[in-house]
Amino acid sequence: MPVEEKVSVNSKLNRIIWLLNKKCNLKCKFCYVANRFRNDRELSLDEILKTLDGAVKLGVEKIDFTGGEVTLREDLDIILEETKKRGIETITINTNGTLLSEKMAEILARNNVKVYLSIDGADKKTHESIRGIGTWEKIFKSAELLKSFDITFYTVFACSKINISDVKGYIALSRELGSQKACIIPVLPIGRAKKDVILSREEFIDVLRQVESTAESIRFNAEIWCVPFAGLIISSPYVSYFGCRNLDEMDITPTGDVLVCDTVDISFGNVREGVEKVWRNLINSEMASNLLRTINSPPCSECIIKHICYGGCYARAKFLNGNIYAPDPMCPRVASF
């Protein structure tokens, strides 16, 4: 009888993905925040600063602020300044780019904030069919503004059946805009996104190959989010990927709940109770241990990248298979098992 491999949750908090607000000026087709977090009060500035203090004590090194549209938060400048003062190594914001101003760019530059700029098409027609009329030209203006303030930025492309044919063109556009990296994330069926726009397994794998071939041909860096099994298909030094099942990050909602993933509404408490308390709730939970045990069963147990992937995206397993502990249903090894 095979011996179950011992696995343990990373007890150090390395990163926070922090949804600072629910409000947004757009109504994108794939928004994963829409229709969530509607009833409770958002964290106040004082509560955010207390949470930052607690996170620093836990050793956090990176904080990604997002929304909603994070630039709509009136106290964003204070939040960014206070985050920098606390010595956080990497600070980023994720924005749709339609509201960036010189004043905001100056704040970002002063606090050494990096920016993720959302683009959902390689041309105006596709992008605006997803993000709305008038959003395309603003992407170019935002990119020019960020470059003028010497702000490092990356682009992010939420990939679905609607824009799968734009993958190669998007990566080329990312380089043209002056981005440092083209990021690609597959859409999950949450918020406004429905299952009929979710990529099939074959389309999923085709996207990975398109990313690799394009990154190689134009010698430009790409990063694939939420596809930790990507290493089974691609090997280019221009393409990076990572897994998150080891739970070394904290996902905080606008109302302060700490979730197992920012797409999965399973809470382990609220930061108003104390950051360390809810972090311990998460990493010491039965769910955290069980998520890691996925690699002890076939086909994951025999996989050469199991200690990177740990069974793949557990959110996708939950949404598509109804079992958060199952291996990633898009993985080709899982499909052939």
Side-chain angles (χ1 to χ4, degrees):
M1 185 175 181
V3 177
E4 184 177 279
E5 180 179 354
K6 291 184 179 179
V7 288
S8 58
V9 176
N10 191 334
S11 60
K12 182 181 183 300
L13 174 60
N14 291 317
R15 176 187 183 194
I16 294 175
I17 296 177
W18 200 331
L19 285 69
L20 279 180
N21 61 348
K22 300 172 280 186
K23 188 177 180 182
C24 187
N25 61 312
L26 302 182
K27 292 185 178 180
C28 302
K29 286 184 178 179
F30 307 146
C31 178
Y32 78 112
V33 175
N35 305 317
R36 299 169 66 205
F37 324 129
R38 288 182 294 181
N39 299 322
D40 296 332
R41 178 176 61 84
E42 291 185 356
L43 294 173
S44 67
L45 177 60
D46 284 345
E47 289 168 333
I48 287 171
L49 298 185
K50 287 178 183 178
T51 301
L52 281 173
D53 289 335
V56 168
K57 290 178 182 178
L58 290 171
V60 69
E61 297 175 355
K62 179 177 182 180
I63 299 183
D64 301 312
F65 292 116
T66 184
E69 173 48 43
V70 70
T71 59
L72 285 171
R73 179 120 190 174
E74 294 180 358
D75 53 8
L76 180 62
D77 57 339
I78 300 173
I79 294 169
L80 296 177
E81 287 169 2
E82 291 296 327
T83 303
K84 183 185 178 186
K85 283 180 184 178
R86 285 159 173 75
I88 303 301
E89 185 176 323
T90 304
I91 308 169
T92 72
I93 67 163
N94 193 316
T95 176
N96 61 41
T98 61
L99 301 175
L100 285 181
S101 63
E102 287 199 6
K103 180 180 179 182
M104 178 54 64
E106 191 277 327
I107 292 167
L108 297 174
R110 185 172 70 242
N111 292 290
N112 196 30
V113 177
K114 297 177 173 63
V115 174
Y116 288 102
L117 186 62
S118 293
I119 303 176
D120 283 341
D123 59 35
K124 180 176 181 176
K125 181 179 179 181
T126 305
H127 176 83
E128 293 196 348
S129 73
I130 296 167
R131 294 195 159 257
I133 302 299
T135 57
W136 178 250
E137 285 79 9
K138 290 178 181 178
I139 290 295
F140 292 85
K141 290 180 181 178
S142 292
E144 288 301 317
L145 184 60
L146 293 171
K147 286 188 290 185
S148 71
F149 279 84
D150 200 27
I151 296 168
T152 297
F153 74 96
Y154 318 98
T155 60
V156 185
F157 179 86
C159 192
S160 73
K161 289 182 183 292
I162 294 174
N163 58 4
I164 186 174
S165 61
D166 283 37
V167 171
K168 291 182 178 182
Y170 154 71
I171 295 172
L173 175 62
S174 180
R175 186 179 70 166
E176 177 189 330
L177 289 171
S179 165
Q180 297 299 300
K181 181 168 54 181
C183 305
I184 297 95
I185 181 169
V187 172
L188 286 170
I190 186 173
R192 290 198 188 97
K194 306 305 179 186
K195 283 191 176 181
D196 60 355
V197 302
I198 305 305
L199 299 174
S200 68
R201 186 181 296 110
E202 293 74 20
E203 289 170 330
F204 213 97
I205 293 170
D206 180 57
V207 165
L208 296 180
R209 289 177 175 147
Q210 287 188 57
V211 171
E212 180 174 46
S213 64
T214 308
E216 283 278 338
S217 66
I218 67 174
R219 298 180 181 276
F220 184 67
N221 290 329
E223 185 171 83
I224 301 170
W225 295 357
C226 305
V227 190
F229 63 79
L232 294 175
I233 298 161
I234 58 179
S235 58
S236 171
Y238 289 101
V239 184
S240 58
Y241 62 96
F242 54 90
C244 61
R245 201 180 276 244
N246 197 26
L247 298 181
D248 64 348
E249 72 179 35
M250 178 184 287
D251 297 74
I252 305 176
T253 74
T255 58
D257 281 341
V258 171
L259 306 181
V260 68
C261 167
D262 64 342
T263 67
V264 178
D265 294 331
I266 298 175
S267 174
F268 290 84
N270 193 286
V271 294
R272 293 182 176 103
E273 306 167 37
V275 178
E276 183 172 2
K277 177 182 177 181
V278 289
W279 175 242
R280 298 300 168 196
N281 288 349
L282 172 59
I283 63 173
N284 294 326
S285 68
E286 185 177 352
M287 175 170 282
S289 328
N290 288 339
L291 284 172
L292 284 180
R293 291 196 181 105
T294 303
I295 67 169
N296 286 319
S297 302
C300 299
S301 56
E302 305 302 322
C303 183
I304 59 173
I305 62 167
K306 65 181 181 181
H307 290 298
I308 297 173
C309 181
Y310 284 100
C313 176
Y314 51 91
R316 194 157 43 241
K318 178 182 185 297
F319 291 131
L320 300 185
N321 279 357
N323 180 4
I324 197 170
Y325 304 118
D328 194 323
M330 292 299 176
C331 174
R333 283 181 60 91
V334 174
S336 61
F337 180 70

